[in-house]
Amino acid sequence: MKVVAGPGGYILQDVPHLTDYIPDLPTHPNPLRSNPAYSVVKQYFVHMDDTVPQKVVVHKDSPRGIHFRRAGPRQKVYFKSDDVSACIVTCGGLCPGLNTVIREIVHSLDYMYGVNKVLGIDGGYRGFYSKNTIRLTPKTVNDIHKRGGTILGTSRGGHDTSKIVDSIQDRGINQVYIIGGDGTQKGAAAIYKEVRSRGLKVAVAGIPKTIDNDIPVIDRSFGFDTAVEEAQRAINAAHVEAESAENGIGVVKLMGRYCGFIAQYATLASRDVDCCLIPESPFYLEGKGGLFEFVEKCLKENGHMVIVIAEGAGQELLAESGHANDEQDASGNKLLQDVGLWISQKIKDYFAKQRKMAITLKYIDPTYMIRAIPSNASDNVYCTLLAQSAVHGAMAGYTGFTSGLVHGRHTYIPFNRIIETQNKVVITDRMWARLLSSTNQPSFLGPNAIVEAKKEEAPETQLLDDDGANSGNGDTGNHKIEARDT
């Protein structure tokens, strides 16, 4: 990451450029000058000094703060169209919008810059050195945005930096587009470093993908809107089942290994949810103010209730009950126990054995249904702009960057900012308070825990008002907060 300081506390966290390590690279006029699609555009190109602030809500005496380079086409490009040989790879779990990003990278390279040599790497990172490539053209990718999954295939793990860069070098590839989450972006950063150490003219661009929305800095990741929208169907089904039975309870488990954004926003959008449980907000089952007490209260008042739980919530309770699991997947993610099944059984046992009260509980896990669908209209537009921004950046010679939306503006973000931490729900933020007000559920935090949460999660320098579509972009969600029985 290059850091440029300016007056008034201005700081630009800039992305690398090919000229940083390959001097005297020739430039070429941008083909967009003669592109009919851009003939009516008032300003063709992004000004070289355009930047986007990380924080938009500041005090009157605050420094200008951290900025990122604005994305978009530049007047000069560092690749001749005929010389470009690009490749695209998708890694990690499935997410709505993967095929849309692939399609738009291919279309942007061809229609905007006249590039017709684009390869798809089959099966994730290991596909660079163990599988065949797929030739991608606008014709072959034309309708893929209507399908879920990824036409390139994907996998976890398999990252061998040396073998991957050897393959890139052997195939004559000079633009690499890597679509994946934080683990994938760490791999992309390693590839960039190796490419730079070898002095290769190869632009490495990342497009952040995580259905959980746990990538920091950016407003949101693609696929998140689709996931929240699709989750409504599961929540509605749970509500219908619960409402149709005496003392009916619907439990829905949604994605969210380390953060609860999908559960949070699906709950707010639904209005049928009585209790939302996420990893950032610990809870307890028994005793005054516990989950069992709240469930019983809802059943007595309404005759039914709906619980939404993120997959990473309550894992410490499973560990205490002897359900700990130390295994990891190929990406290094901890394999979680099914908290939805566990909590459903706990609720059944409580009412059957302690309260002697008949209940009807239905458990719904729509995880793989949500992951496998095509992206909705909002995500399709977002994927298109992310892909176009990545292509503009690579053609302009930028490398070692991730394309992302920051406060509604597309930017180029250094890899290290994307991988240094995880985005999490901040439970001392007003957005979480709105959820608690909507569901009327307890916070499950005792007075002492609330005081500690405010101390730990609200640093004095946190000037960003997390009041928009994405809460908790700051590094404020990594502290342990304990639920209290008070």
Side-chain angles (χ1 to χ4, degrees), residues 157 249-250 266 356 372 478:
I249 301 173
K356 309 298 182 184
N478 296 327

Side-chain angles (χ1 to χ4, degrees), residues 378-455:
S378 172
D379 272 326
N380 267 335
V381 173
Y382 187 31
C383 290
T384 299
L385 299 181
L386 284 174
Q388 290 185 3
S389 295
V391 169
H392 290 318
M395 292 298 296
Y398 294 112
T399 183
F401 70 88
T402 293
S403 170
L405 195 70
V406 177
H407 300 303
R409 295 287 185 178
H410 286 267
T411 64
Y412 300 136
I413 305 166
F415 278 140
N416 68 297
R417 287 303 312 275
I418 293 295
I419 64 179
E420 66 186 0
T421 186
Q422 285 186 316
N423 189 26
K424 294 192 176 186
V425 175
V426 179
I427 62 171
T428 53
D429 170 55
R430 284 201 298 275
M431 202 65 182
W432 183 245
R434 292 183 182 118
L435 180 141
L436 297 180
S437 300
S438 172
T439 61
N440 200 29
Q441 71 184 70
S443 68
F444 301 111
L445 295 176
N448 294 335
I450 292 174
V451 171
E452 290 302 314
K454 287 182 176 179
K455 284 181 182 177

